[in-house]
């Protein structure tokens, strides 16, 4: 009888600890679900805030180098709030303290102020109209030891020139460095991003052409339908 009573107490204690374990597990899972949803909402709010603050493009159409004014074909498409043409180029960036690095060159408008996917200036200033100068991405400051007032050599095709750095910018278009094909993790210093004044690119091939067109849609517009109409109207 005593043995049976002791066994009953042991079973009861064991069941109690199992119940506590289950309750603890349920509580942890609940916290993770609620906390994860809250974190996701905060992150999405941050993304949406920056997206609107910088007038980020809803759509980019990459095309072969074509004449400026290509977006005139899209003027009559309903739902488009703003459009902007631009030239993106590939080149090499080098300086006194580092070897040539593959570089994405984002050529700025004549007034150096993008209207879509704006470019926040963290330090210094944008190049002036007609000024041959560069704005570097913030990652180059730490990675290559660059600073305002330094000069860099920019090569685009056969065109090569030395230009001063007048500012430091940050674009959400270029948040990560490129990924080396043999590694899964991003490797710092394997690519650079630079914002070149229009005057800097005088003399390069296709300097007066564009190969990227940005669009912002009106609130409530059907993005898929607009994209369909654009692709049938633009020379891509």
């Amino acid at each position: 009888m005593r043995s049976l009573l002791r066994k009953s107490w042991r079973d009861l204690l064991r069941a109690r600890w199992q119940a506590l374990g289950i309750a603890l597990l349920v509580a942890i899972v609940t916290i993770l679900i609620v906390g994860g949803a809250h974190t996701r909402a905060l992150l999405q709010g941050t993304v949406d805030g920056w997206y609107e603050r910088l007038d980020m493009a809803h759509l980019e159409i990459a095309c072969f180098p074509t004449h400026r004014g290509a977006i005139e074909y899209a003027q009559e498409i309903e739902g488009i709030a703003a459009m902007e043409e631009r030239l993106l180029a590939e080149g090499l960036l080098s300086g006194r303290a580092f070897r040539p690095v593959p570089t994405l060159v984002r050529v700025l408008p004549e007034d150096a102020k993008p209207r879509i996917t704006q470019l926040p200036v963290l330090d210094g200033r944008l190049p002036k109209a007609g000024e041959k100068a560069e704005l570097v991405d913030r990652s180059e400051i730490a990675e290559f030891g660059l600073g305002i007032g330094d000069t860099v050599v920019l090569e685009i095709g056969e065109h090569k020139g030395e230009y001063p750095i007048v500012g430091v910018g940050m674009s959400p278009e270029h948040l990560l460095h490129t990924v080396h094909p043999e590694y899964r993790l991003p490797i710092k210093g394997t690519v650079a991003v630079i914002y070149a004044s229009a005057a800097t690119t005088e003399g390069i091939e296709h300097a007066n052409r564009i190969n990227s067109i940005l669009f912002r849609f009106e609130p409530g517009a059907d993005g898929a339908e607009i994209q369909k109409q654009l692709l049938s109207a633009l020379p891509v």
Side-chain angles (χ1 to χ4, degrees), residues 34-48:
V34 174
H38 181 64
T39 301
R40 182 176 180 181
L42 288 175
L43 291 175
Q44 188 61 51
T46 301
V47 170
D48 293 342

Side-chain angles (χ1 to χ4, degrees), residues 10-55:
R10 285 198 302 267
D11 292 343
L12 182 60
L13 289 173
R14 188 180 298 114
R16 184 182 66 177
W17 288 114
Q18 289 176 347
L20 288 174
I22 293 172
L24 180 60
L25 181 60
V26 171
I28 292 174
V29 171
T30 301
I31 292 172
L32 290 175
I33 292 175
V34 174
H38 181 64
T39 301
R40 182 176 180 181
L42 288 175
L43 291 175
Q44 188 61 51
T46 301
V47 170
D48 293 342
W50 277 105
Y51 206 92
E52 293 304 319
R53 188 180 308 172
L54 300 180
D55 288 326

Side-chain angles (χ1 to χ4, degrees), residues 112-130:
K113 296 180 180 179
R115 284 162 288 282
I116 301 179
T117 308
Q118 296 178 14
L119 181 60
V121 177
L122 305 180
D123 194 12
R125 60 176 175 83
L126 289 165
K128 299 176 182 178

Side-chain angles (χ1 to χ4, degrees), residues 139-162:
S139 59
E140 274 86 77
I141 298 299
E143 190 62 36
F144 304 122
L146 295 174
I148 295 175
D150 292 342
T151 58
V152 291
V153 176
L154 180 62
E155 299 180 55
I156 304 176
E158 297 182 357
H159 179 79
K160 183 176 182 179
E162 187 172 357

Side-chain angles (χ1 to χ4, degrees), residues 43-193:
L43 291 175
Q44 188 61 51
T46 301
V47 170
D48 293 342
W50 277 105
Y51 206 92
E52 293 304 319
R53 188 180 308 172
L54 300 180
D55 288 326
M56 295 288 292
H58 292 121
L59 174 67
E60 176 187 11
I61 292 183
C63 57
F64 292 111
T66 187
H67 63 281
R68 293 185 179 275
I71 59 176
E72 293 178 0
Y73 297 100
Q75 295 289 343
E76 298 181 359
I77 297 179
E78 186 177 353
I80 295 178
M83 300 175 284
E84 185 170 23
E85 301 169 318
R86 65 180 184 174
L87 175 64
L88 301 177
E90 296 178 358
L92 292 174
L93 183 71
S94 59
R96 295 190 182 92
F98 62 97
R99 296 179 179 179
V101 178
T103 301
L104 172 64
V105 183
R106 177 176 167 184
V107 182
L108 297 171
E110 290 291 341
D111 61 2
K113 296 180 180 179
R115 284 162 288 282
I116 301 179
T117 308
Q118 296 178 14
L119 181 60
V121 177
L122 305 180
D123 194 12
R125 60 176 175 83
L126 289 165
K128 299 176 182 178
E131 180 183 15
K132 293 187 175 182
E134 314 288 355
L135 191 83
V136 296
D137 192 82
R138 63 176 180 175
S139 59
E140 274 86 77
I141 298 299
E143 190 62 36
F144 304 122
L146 295 174
I148 295 175
D150 292 342
T151 58
V152 291
V153 176
L154 180 62
E155 299 180 55
I156 304 176
E158 297 182 357
H159 179 79
K160 183 176 182 179
E162 187 172 357
Y163 308 102
I165 296 173
V166 297
V168 179
M170 184 279 293
S171 174
E173 270 194 295
H174 317 296
L175 292 180
L176 289 178
H177 292 272
T178 187
V179 177
H180 192 282
E182 295 183 1
Y183 299 90
R184 294 184 179 181
L185 296 176
I187 300 176
K188 291 183 177 180
T190 55
V191 72
V193 178

